[in-house]
């Protein structure tokens, strides 16, 4: 009963947040709108990690799928001349889905540190390939044009982040978050808890733990890829270092812990906090921003082991 | 003529030099409650593991409802209608009793929703509640499983195995780890609930008192072979069984 109510509450929350962001667009300064949009992109990758964490798994290589999404969109734009953001998003999701489907056969038999590190290994291989591929600009990467939507091109004077792109990212992210929340409350989501808690029992309940992990892995990859597409469309440029490098993957895990796995909203809130802390720390303490981020994480782990989201649970007087 | 539910023919399994099963021929009729006894390492658990698809026999055949299920997976055996409970209860320790059953009913029960629909819905909740009442564990509903006493864990483990309403259930040492005082309570609850469900029961047990009281038939294993097979009064009085399995006169519990 509580679970069902919670799903509905989350749906309402997502709808309100979406409407608020769209309504706030005229008031938001450019940097704030950019931070929000970039955070939604990064938050999608972390939402994928949240699914894996619900399954008791962590991946230190989500940068792999983040990069695949970003590069697939950038390539489709640069080499095929596709500018529609919807088509570019689908291209990113499809590419990552196919790769995750294949790699899933390898990773689904592994758990714990091996699962985490296998993904790190795959992401480093991709980084190496991208950094050595001259056609793709090697370590410098290459640029991506301004995207269109369903035949509408934004005002060329308006800069990269138009209401079209902002609204597209906000609405798309909201729909995806709503859907993930629903799936987490479905039998496949509960099967994830079974994988985390006791695989043997799950097998004797007729559920293939490996199959369930495979599905979760593909879902997380698609989310990471979509985040990669959004990020590349926002930045207008793609490089191996900003997508596939291992520090990027580590950053996503950082944010996942910062936010906690209590709710699908947590990744987006945490990613926004992360972007803000980084932006201000870079501005006011350019030599110490990593230290500030480290201290932030330390405080969260010590005082909020359930992540930022557990604050919401505490406010409602419920044990996290 | 009642249906023969489970039949094994010449079942054999070795682990290196250890013979865990050799020429095991067992037949179980629908509705029977069969006790399986034997000293440690006699092949009781191996037999359970082979029948439930967890281990593949080296030799022989397993027939369930006349269908050959030899070498099938755990999932396939489960699908066919053979479920099991465990000597060490296999539960979801971080979840409450109620959540354990919700999960089980929601992913496996006959009332499970489609995989993309919310799992928690009235019919799943009612089923989970009904199961808790049937096994008399409702008062522990909101307790996390890792904080439960062993007796309740055992009951929940069996309740979880019964979620799919199997035709046959294998109980691996249902009373192990439970105090002498509690074990007849637990076993009484279980057998009661299982009889009502109409399931055929095969239970592995060390306690001869429990076997004598609840089994319609007893199969004794020794070194991977069937030593004796018959009604409790005959098997438990068999001199070979007393010597190799019981260790002393039945009626007094042997040391665990």
């Amino acid at each position: 009963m509580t679970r069902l109510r919670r799903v509905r509450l989350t749906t309402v929350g997502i709808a309100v947040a979406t409407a608020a962001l769209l309504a706030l667009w005229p008031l938001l300064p450019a940097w704030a709108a950019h931070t929000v949009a970039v955070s939604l992109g990064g938050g999608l990758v972390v939402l994928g990690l949240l699914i894996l964490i619900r399954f008791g798994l962590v991946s230190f290589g989500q940068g792999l799928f983040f990069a695949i999404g970003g590069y697939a969109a950038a390539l489709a734009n640069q080499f095929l001349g596709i500018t529609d953001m919807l088509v570019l998003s689908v291209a990113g999701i499809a590419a990552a889905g196919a790769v995750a489907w294949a790699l899933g056969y390898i990773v689904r038999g592994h758990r714990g540190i091996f699962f985490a590190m296998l993904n790190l290994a795959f992401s480093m291989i991709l980084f190496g390939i991208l950094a050595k591929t001259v056609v793709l600009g090697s370590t410098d990467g290459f640029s991506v044009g301004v995207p269109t939507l369903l035949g509408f091109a934004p005002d060329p004077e308006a800069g990269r982040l138009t209401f079209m792109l902002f609204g597209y990212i906000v609405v798309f992210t909201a729909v995806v978050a709503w859907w993930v929340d629903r799936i987490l409350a479905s039998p496949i989501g509960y099967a994830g808890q079974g994988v985390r808690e006791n695989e043997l029992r799950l097998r004797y309940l007729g559920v293939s733990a490996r199959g369930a992990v495979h599905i979760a892995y593909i879902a997380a990859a698609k989310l990471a890829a979509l985040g990669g597409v959004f990020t590349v469309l926002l930045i207008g440029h793609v490089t191996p270092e900003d997508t596939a490098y291992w520090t990027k993957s580590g950053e996503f895990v950082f944010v996942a812990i910062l936010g906690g796995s209590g709710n699908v909203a947590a990744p987006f809130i945490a990613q926004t906090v992360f972007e803000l802390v980084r932006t201000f720390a870079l501005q006011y303490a350019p030599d110490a921003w990593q230290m500030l981020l480290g201290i932030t994480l330390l405080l969260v782990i010590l005082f909020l082991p359930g992540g930022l989201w557990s604050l919401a649970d505490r406010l409602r007087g419920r044990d996290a | 003529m009642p249906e023969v539910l489970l039949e094994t023919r010449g079942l054999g399994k070795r682990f290196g030099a250890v013979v865990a099963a050799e020429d095991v021929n067992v037949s179980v009729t629908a509705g029977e409650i069969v006790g399986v006894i034997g000293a440690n390492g006699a092949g009781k658990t191996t037999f359970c593991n082979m029948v439930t698809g967890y281990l593949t026999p080296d030799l022989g055949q397993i027939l369930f409802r006349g269908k050959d299920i030899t070498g099938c997976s755990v999932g396939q055996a489960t699908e066919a209608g053979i479920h099991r409970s465990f000597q060490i209860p296999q539960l979801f320790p971080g979840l409450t009793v109620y959540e354990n059953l919700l999960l089980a009913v929601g992913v496996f029960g006959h009332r499970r929703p489609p995989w993309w629909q919310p799992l928690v819905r009235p019919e799943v909740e009612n089923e989970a509640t009904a199961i808790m009442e049937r096994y008399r564990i409702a008062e522990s509903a909101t307790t996390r499983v890792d904080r439960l006493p062993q007796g309740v864990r055992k009951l929940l483990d069996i309740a979880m195995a019964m979620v799919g309403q199997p035709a046959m259930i294998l109980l691996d040492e249902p009373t192990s780890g439970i105090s002498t005082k509690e074990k007849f309570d637990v076993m009484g609850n279980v057998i009661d609930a299982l009889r009502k469900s109409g399931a055929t029961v095969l239970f592995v047990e060390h306690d001869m008192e429990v076997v004598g009281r609840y089994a319609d038939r007893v199969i004794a294993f020794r070194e991977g072979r069937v030593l004796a097979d018959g009604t409790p009064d005959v098997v438990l009085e068999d001199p070979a069984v007393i010597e190799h399995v019981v260790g002393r006169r039945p009626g007094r519990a042997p040391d665990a």
Side-chain angles (χ1 to χ4, degrees):
Chain A
M1 207 49 219
T2 54
R3 181 84 193 166
L4 201 62
R5 242 189 352 251
R6 206 194 58 68
V7 171
R8 294 211 179 115
L9 202 66
T10 304
T11 307
V12 173
I14 291 170
V16 170
T18 308
L21 283 177
L22 293 178
L24 278 174
W25 165 257
L27 305 175
L28 284 177
W31 69 267
H34 184 81
T35 302
V36 167
V38 165
S39 300
L40 292 178
L44 281 171
V45 189
V46 181
L47 183 61
L49 275 171
L50 181 143
I51 296 178
L52 293 176
I53 289 170
R54 291 279 182 96
F55 276 66
L57 298 165
V58 177
S59 161
F60 284 125
Q62 285 310 89
L64 169 72
F65 299 111
F66 186 66
I68 289 174
Y71 268 89
L75 282 168
N77 175 264
Q78 200 68 9
F79 293 92
L80 303 177
I82 296 166
T83 56
D84 193 288
M85 47 185 93
L86 204 56
V87 179
L88 294 176
S89 303
V90 171
I93 293 171
V99 173
W101 172 79
L103 294 183
Y105 285 101
I106 302 172
V107 301
R108 69 186 202 169
H110 296 269
R111 301 289 181 269
I113 197 75
F114 299 103
F115 181 90
M117 288 302 165
L118 261 178
N119 284 298
L120 179 67
F122 291 135
S123 73
M124 289 173 83
I125 291 169
L126 181 71
F127 175 79
I129 294 172
L130 292 175
K132 293 282 178 210
T133 308
V134 179
V135 201
L136 301 181
S138 304
T139 49
D140 293 334
F142 60 97
S143 297
V144 184
V146 174
T148 60
L149 181 59
L150 303 172
F152 294 97
D155 179 2
E157 303 292 300
R160 187 159 269 278
L161 184 60
T162 56
F163 182 65
M164 186 191 282
L165 183 56
F166 183 78
Y168 174 78
I169 289 175
V170 169
V171 172
F172 204 145
T173 305
V175 171
V176 168
W178 173 80
W179 199 71
V180 168
D181 191 52
R182 208 178 146 78
I183 292 300
L184 285 173
S186 75
I188 180 83
Y190 272 78
Q193 294 192 43
V195 172
R196 191 187 66 207
E197 296 282 334
N198 188 345
E199 283 190 33
L200 184 64
R201 167 53 78 191
L202 195 65
R203 280 176 69 189
Y204 275 97
L205 287 171
V207 179
S208 156
R210 290 182 170 204
V213 168
H214 203 155
I215 291 170
Y217 186 67
I218 294 173
K222 288 179 173 176
L223 289 170
L226 187 60
V229 175
F230 288 174
T231 306
V232 164
L233 293 183
L234 283 164
I235 309 279
H237 195 84
V238 62
T239 69
E241 188 163 349
D242 291 332
T243 54
Y245 198 51
W246 65 273
T247 53
K248 193 70 191 171
S249 296
E251 202 177 286
F252 293 130
V253 177
F254 180 111
V255 176
I257 293 166
L258 187 66
S261 61
N263 188 282
V264 292
F268 302 102
I269 295 167
Q271 187 73 41
T272 309
V273 169
F274 178 83
E275 295 288 346
L276 288 174
V277 170
R278 180 163 61 181
T279 306
F280 285 105
L282 263 173
Q283 198 167 344
Y284 296 107
D287 300 322
W289 70 276
Q290 276 136 331
M291 190 181 80
L292 286 174
L293 280 175
I295 292 171
T296 310
L297 186 64
L298 189 68
L299 292 175
V300 166
I301 291 174
L302 288 179
F303 299 107
L304 285 173
L308 291 175
W309 186 259
S310 60
L311 277 176
D313 287 332
R314 279 192 198 185
L315 286 178
R316 269 178 289 163
R318 192 149 51 82
D319 213 16
Chain B
M1 186 72 185
E3 180 199 8
V4 172
L5 202 59
L6 178 77
E7 194 182 349
T8 69
R9 294 180 185 161
L11 224 48
K13 180 83 189 170
R14 278 166 188 273
F15 298 105
V18 179
V19 180
E22 192 166 287
D23 196 27
V24 175
N25 299 293
V26 164
S27 141
V28 179
T29 307
E32 264 190 307
I33 296 183
V34 179
V36 175
I37 59 174
N40 284 329
K44 309 179 300 288
T45 299
T46 302
F47 178 74
C48 283
N49 284 341
M50 288 192 291
V51 170
T52 55
Y54 192 74
L55 286 176
T56 306
D58 300 334
L59 282 173
Q61 258 189 323
I62 304 168
L63 301 173
F64 188 70
R65 291 178 155 156
K67 222 182 84 197
D68 191 343
I69 58 160
T70 321
C72 73
S73 68
V74 166
Q76 288 164 327
T78 308
E79 204 64 38
I82 307 175
H83 293 201
R84 71 173 294 186
S85 74
F86 298 84
Q87 185 178 356
I88 297 157
Q90 296 295 326
L91 303 163
F92 304 121
L95 308 182
T96 66
V97 169
Y98 181 58
E99 287 167 340
N100 265 266
L101 285 168
L102 270 186
L103 205 166
V105 173
V107 301
F108 191 60
H110 295 283
R111 293 180 218 297
R112 65 171 175 252
W115 67 266
W116 65 90
Q117 294 277 330
L119 175 141
V120 179
R121 50 185 59 225
E123 57 272 30
V124 172
E125 292 180 295
N126 293 342
E127 176 82 8
T129 308
I131 293 171
M132 286 196 300
E133 275 156 17
R134 203 172 307 146
Y135 290 86
R136 296 175 207 168
I137 48 179
E139 60 193 55
S140 311
T142 55
T143 311
R144 266 174 62 139
V145 161
D146 52 8
R147 291 173 194 154
L148 283 178
Q150 186 70 0
V152 186
R153 284 192 211 195
K154 285 285 202 184
L155 281 169
L156 179 58
D157 192 47
I158 294 164
M160 299 272 280
M162 287 302 292
V163 160
Q165 298 172 6
M168 175 163 200
I169 179 157
L170 278 66
L171 310 177
D172 195 351
E173 304 205 13
T175 68
S176 75
I178 305 180
S179 68
T180 323
K181 220 166 58 197
E182 270 186 305
K183 75 186 170 203
F184 287 104
D185 271 358
V186 169
M187 205 54 195
N189 280 351
V190 167
I191 295 292
D192 233 30
L194 295 181
R195 275 200 202 277
K196 272 181 206 150
S197 79
T200 304
V201 183
L202 203 138
F203 70 101
V204 173
E205 185 55 66
H206 277 299
D207 189 318
M208 296 306 144
E209 263 186 285
V210 172
V211 175
R213 190 183 298 193
Y214 296 107
D216 303 330
R217 201 177 115 207
V218 178
I219 301 171
F221 276 89
R222 185 180 175 231
E223 290 170 1
R225 288 172 164 277
V226 174
L227 182 67
D229 183 346
T231 54
D233 44 331
V234 173
V235 172
L236 296 180
E237 294 299 327
D238 184 320
V241 172
I242 290 172
E243 187 190 340
H244 297 292
V245 182
V246 182
R248 58 177 100 168
R249 302 291 306 166
R252 273 178 301 161
D255 297 328

